[in-house]
Amino acid sequence: VSLVSGVFRLEAGTVYGQNIGTGVMAGVYAGANREVIMTGGTIQVDANSGTGYGIFAQGKGTINGGTIRVESSAKAAYAVQAQGANGNVTVADGKFYAAGKTTVTCVFASSSASMTVNGGYYNINTNLATYLGAGRHIFNLPSSELPYQYKVGTGGYTVTFQNTDGTVLQSGLWENGTTPEYTGDAPAKPGDTGGEFIHSSWTPDLAPVTGDATYTATYVPAPPVASVTISGTTTEYIHFSDAWTAVNGATAASTLTL
C-alpha cells in the first residue's frame, strides 16, 4: 500500500508484500504529510533478497494493535521505520517480528524522525532499535526463547527476587496481571555455612503484577536430622510434622523413635 494522499487505516485483514528482486519492499508506505493508523490486522512482508519494511512512515503513524512480520534472507528487515523530518510514529500496542541478514530492527527512527514506544510485544531475537533517533524512547527487553513474551511500557513491570542481604537472585519483566515465578537455584541464607536454615517462602507473598515489585527470600530452621546405621546401611531421617521420615531414598519399615 502506497499512500499518495490522505489516511490509511488497517483495522482487520492482511496486507501482504513480496519482493521478487533485490530492491526495497514496504507493506505500507506513507509519504510526508500522509498518515497510517493501525489498530488490528496483519502486515506481512517477505522481502526475499531485498530490504523489507512493514511500515515505512515519512509522515505520521499510530500503531495501537495488530501484527507486523518482516523477513529478508539477504538484507535488512524493519518492522516499523520513521523517516525524515516529518516522520513521527507512536507505538502503543501490537506484535512485531523482524528477521533479516544484516540489520534486524523492530522499530527504528532516523536521526531527524521521531519514534515513541509506549507498549507492544517484540520478537526478542531482534533489537527494538539499532540506532538512536531523535525523540525516541528505547526499551531494553530481557533474553527469552519465546517471542512476544515480554511487554514494555505500561503493560510490563520489573520483578526482582533478592536475598536477605540484597543480592539479586533473579530479575525480569512480567506482564501486568501475571503472577511472577522464581525459577533459579534454591536460595541459601547468607552466612549459613552449616545448612542450619532452609528457604521457605518470599516476603511479601507472590501476587499478580500491578507495578514494579521486589520479593525477599525468607528462611526457617532446618529440621533435625538423625542418622541410623544397621548392618552397614546408613539411613538419614528428618523430623518433620511430628514424624521421622527417611530422606536418602530408603524406606522406613516402621516409626523411628529416638
Side-chain angles (χ1 to χ4, degrees), residues 108-113 132-134:
F108 167 80
S110 68
S111 59
S112 58
L132 296 179

Tab-separated table of all heavy atoms in Angstrom, residues 108-113 132-134:
chain	number	residue	atom	x	y	z
A	108	PHE	N	12.493	1.613	14.387
A	108	PHE	CA	13.666	2.419	14.067
A	108	PHE	C	13.231	3.801	13.616
A	108	PHE	O	12.243	3.950	12.896
A	108	PHE	CB	14.479	1.747	12.950
A	108	PHE	CG	15.522	2.634	12.332
A	108	PHE	CD1	16.730	2.835	12.964
A	108	PHE	CD2	15.285	3.262	11.127
A	108	PHE	CE1	17.694	3.660	12.393
A	108	PHE	CE2	16.239	4.078	10.539
A	108	PHE	CZ	17.451	4.285	11.177
A	109	ALA	N	13.969	4.824	14.068
A	109	ALA	CA	13.722	6.186	13.597
A	109	ALA	C	15.037	6.797	13.138
A	109	ALA	O	16.054	6.662	13.817
A	109	ALA	CB	13.102	7.042	14.697
A	110	SER	N	15.009	7.443	11.989
A	110	SER	CA	16.206	8.129	11.524
A	110	SER	C	16.503	9.297	12.460
A	110	SER	O	15.691	9.678	13.306
A	110	SER	CB	16.005	8.631	10.095
A	110	SER	OG	15.037	9.657	10.066
A	111	SER	N	17.692	9.905	12.305
A	111	SER	CA	18.129	10.946	13.228
A	111	SER	C	17.218	12.170	13.230
A	111	SER	O	17.153	12.906	14.208
A	111	SER	CB	19.558	11.378	12.894
A	111	SER	OG	19.629	11.854	11.563
A	112	SER	N	16.466	12.370	12.148
A	112	SER	CA	15.592	13.542	12.072
A	112	SER	C	14.134	13.199	12.333
A	112	SER	O	13.273	14.079	12.351
A	112	SER	CB	15.719	14.201	10.693
A	112	SER	OG	15.396	13.278	9.665
A	113	ALA	N	13.841	11.905	12.550
A	113	ALA	CA	12.458	11.482	12.767
A	113	ALA	C	12.210	11.276	14.258
A	113	ALA	O	13.096	11.442	15.099
A	113	ALA	CB	12.174	10.203	11.993
A	132	LEU	N	20.029	5.232	17.527
A	132	LEU	CA	19.234	6.167	18.315
A	132	LEU	C	18.649	7.228	17.398
A	132	LEU	O	19.333	7.786	16.552
A	132	LEU	CB	20.101	6.823	19.400
A	132	LEU	CG	20.668	5.882	20.461
A	132	LEU	CD1	21.526	6.679	21.439
A	132	LEU	CD2	19.544	5.186	21.196
A	133	GLY	N	17.379	7.527	17.579
A	133	GLY	CA	16.719	8.565	16.788
A	133	GLY	C	16.188	9.654	17.692
A	133	GLY	O	15.931	9.445	18.875
A	134	ALA	N	16.022	10.837	17.187
A	134	ALA	CA	15.566	11.967	17.985
A	134	ALA	C	14.171	11.709	18.538
A	134	ALA	O	13.303	11.175	17.857
A	134	ALA	CB	15.564	13.233	17.143
